[in-house]
């Protein structure tokens, strides 16, 4: 079998056309969605991510601002900035680019972001809503994966899905979103014995371990759908996913590339969440709608 590519870049392009329409509709009501990105320290990878996100905002007409702190900044300075952005009506989304320098309390900083502006979906209110089955803002990477599966009409209900990785930003919310769509989900981690035992029975494999080439074709069920979330920089400077693309694409039916797969969807979902936040900011309160 030779797998067909799931082209994240092409799906993202289609989504952007819809985003532009939504931005236009907001403009007619006097609102321009605004995203504030906070970058702390001088991590070159974070610099690239923030630049990519800022460029995507410009493409669809979302206003974006960057706030930078040196690696030696004080936690209260970051918290004060977030509080001022929480109160700023032209900012609808706040993004704190991770990872933060280890000195800073990442949990405390993320919890300061107003849940209504938490377009990364990392605030515990939003994560809790996802667990409860009433998502408000969901983390962008797993949201990008399920959006991809939906748009490609890949059957999730009734499937056996394996998620490799249990991080709060990818693995766990990914599992919740697949469960919500009726998959039977196994979540693997670095302590899992015999990873292959699980992957070889899976109809859908989502690899989010940060280990280049971890998933080989020999570990897959023929015809499986393989979603590669991993983005790993190899010593030669090239990017690689968590899936050994050459061997996996001979066994899978559908597969995402790296780059050009999930990464493009992650950025698209950040824009989607920012536009949604702007739309919600002018929506009538639920109580007013319900009483009509
Ligand atoms: P993370 O916080 O380091 O979590 C990695 C997870 O993988 C952990 O739960 C870890 O298990 C598990 N793991 C590690 N080695 C494993 C193995 N051999 N077998 C099974 N599980 C294993 O990383 P993350 O933030 O979730 O990101 C994961 C990958 O996705 C990274 O490559 C990252 O760059 C990429 N990423 C991509 C996007 C995108 O837009 N495409 C977005 C975010 C992240 P333990 O919990 O036991 O340690």
């Amino acid at each position: 079998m030779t797998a067909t590519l799931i082209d994240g870049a092409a799906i993202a392009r289609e989504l952007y056309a819809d985003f532009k329409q939504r931005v236009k509709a907001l403009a007619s009501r006097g609102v321009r969605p605004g995203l504030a990105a906070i970058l702390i320290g001088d991590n070159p990878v974070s610099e690239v991510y923030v630049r990519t996100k800022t460029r995507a905002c410009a493409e669809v007409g979302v206003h974006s601002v960057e706030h930078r702190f040196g690696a030696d900044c004080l936690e209260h300075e970051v918290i004060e900035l977030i509080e001022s952005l929480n109160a700023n009506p032209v900012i609808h989304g706040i993004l704190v680019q991770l990872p933060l320098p280890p000195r800073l309390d990442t949990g405390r900083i993320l919890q300061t972001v107003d849940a209504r502006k938490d377009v990364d979906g990392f605030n515990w209110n939003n994560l809790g809503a996802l667990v409860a089955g009433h998502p408000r803002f969901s983390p962008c990477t797993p949201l990008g994966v399920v959006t991809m599966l939906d748009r490609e009409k890949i059957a999730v209900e009734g499937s056996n899905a394996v998620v490799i990785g249990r991080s709060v930003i990818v693995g766990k919310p990914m599992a919740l979103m697949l469960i919500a769509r009726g998959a039977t989900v196994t979540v693997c981690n670095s302590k899992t014995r015999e990873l292959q035992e699980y992957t070889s029975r899976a109809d859908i494999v989502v690899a989010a371990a940060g280990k280049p080439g971890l998933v080989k074709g020999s570990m897959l069920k023929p015809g499986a759908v393989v979603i590669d979330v991993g983005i790993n920089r190899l010593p030669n400077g090239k990017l690689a996913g968590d899936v050994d693309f050459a061997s996996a694409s001979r066994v899978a039916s559908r597969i995402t590339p790296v780059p050009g797969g999930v990464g493009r969807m992650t950025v698209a979902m950040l824009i989607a969440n920012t536009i949604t936040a702007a739309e919600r900011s002018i929506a009538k309160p639920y109580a007013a709608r319900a009483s009509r």
Side-chain angles (χ1 to χ4, degrees):
M1 181 168 306
T2 307
T4 311
L5 220 55
I6 304 176
D7 186 344
I11 300 172
R13 270 196 301 279
E14 286 170 21
L15 292 171
Y16 279 33
D18 173 54
F19 296 163
K20 285 178 189 167
Q21 291 307 315
R22 289 168 65 190
V23 169
K24 224 165 132 185
L26 281 166
S28 70
R29 300 182 64 185
V31 175
R32 186 172 183 206
L35 175 71
I38 302 174
L39 186 56
I40 303 172
D42 50 10
N43 180 335
V45 177
S46 295
E47 294 265 355
V48 172
Y49 285 150
V50 169
R51 214 177 309 137
T52 306
K53 291 165 184 174
T54 307
R55 215 178 294 135
C57 284
E59 194 181 330
V60 297
V62 168
H63 164 64
S64 69
V65 281
E66 271 179 45
H67 295 273
R68 288 169 176 265
F69 288 99
D72 57 353
C73 69
L74 300 174
E75 194 165 298
H76 77 85
E77 296 174 311
V78 182
I79 302 265
E80 279 162 24
L81 171 66
I82 295 174
E83 284 170 348
S84 76
L85 294 169
N86 283 344
N88 184 341
V90 303
I91 294 300
H92 303 94
I94 301 170
L95 146 78
V96 181
Q97 185 61 49
L98 302 179
L100 300 184
R103 263 180 334 95
L104 300 177
D105 182 342
T106 301
R108 177 157 183 244
I109 288 173
L110 293 180
Q111 298 328 302
T112 308
V113 176
D114 186 322
R116 290 166 297 185
K117 298 191 177 189
D118 172 37
V119 287
D120 258 337
F122 298 158
N123 184 293
W124 292 340
N125 285 308
N126 286 320
L127 287 170
L130 182 63
V131 173
H134 298 285
R136 298 282 297 160
F137 286 119
S138 298
C140 297
T141 300
L143 184 61
V145 171
V146 289
T147 303
M148 236 177 185
L149 296 172
D150 290 348
R151 294 202 58 116
E152 295 289 296
K153 301 196 169 27
I154 290 165
V156 175
E157 191 175 287
S159 68
N160 285 329
V162 164
V163 177
I164 308 174
R166 57 173 165 175
S167 73
V168 174
I169 65 173
V170 188
K172 280 183 198 159
M174 182 78 256
L176 289 167
M177 290 181 205
L178 292 168
I179 290 169
R181 281 167 169 72
T184 302
V185 182
T186 306
V187 182
C188 299
N189 59 65
S190 65
K191 314 288 186 293
T192 301
R193 286 185 229 122
E194 304 299 337
L195 183 62
Q196 176 164 353
E197 263 187 35
Y198 302 95
T199 56
S200 63
R201 281 185 272 141
D203 304 303
I204 299 173
V205 175
V206 180
K211 296 281 176 279
L214 174 69
V215 179
K216 316 260 185 290
S218 57
M219 298 164 66
L220 297 169
K221 176 174 162 178
V225 173
V226 179
I227 307 291
D228 192 352
V229 175
I231 301 181
N232 308 291
R233 183 73 64 183
L234 300 178
N236 64 10
K238 287 193 174 160
L239 282 185
D242 287 353
V243 175
D244 174 37
F245 187 87
S247 63
S249 60
R250 285 196 290 273
V251 181
S253 61
R254 310 292 312 271
I255 191 166
T256 61
V258 177
V262 176
R264 298 298 286 267
M265 295 299 294
T266 298
V267 178
M269 293 302 104
L270 176 74
I271 304 296
N273 280 349
T274 303
I275 297 171
T276 301
E279 290 166 346
R280 285 182 188 157
S281 75
I282 53 169
K284 289 199 177 75
Y286 173 77
R289 275 204 309 271
S291 65
R292 271 191 287 144

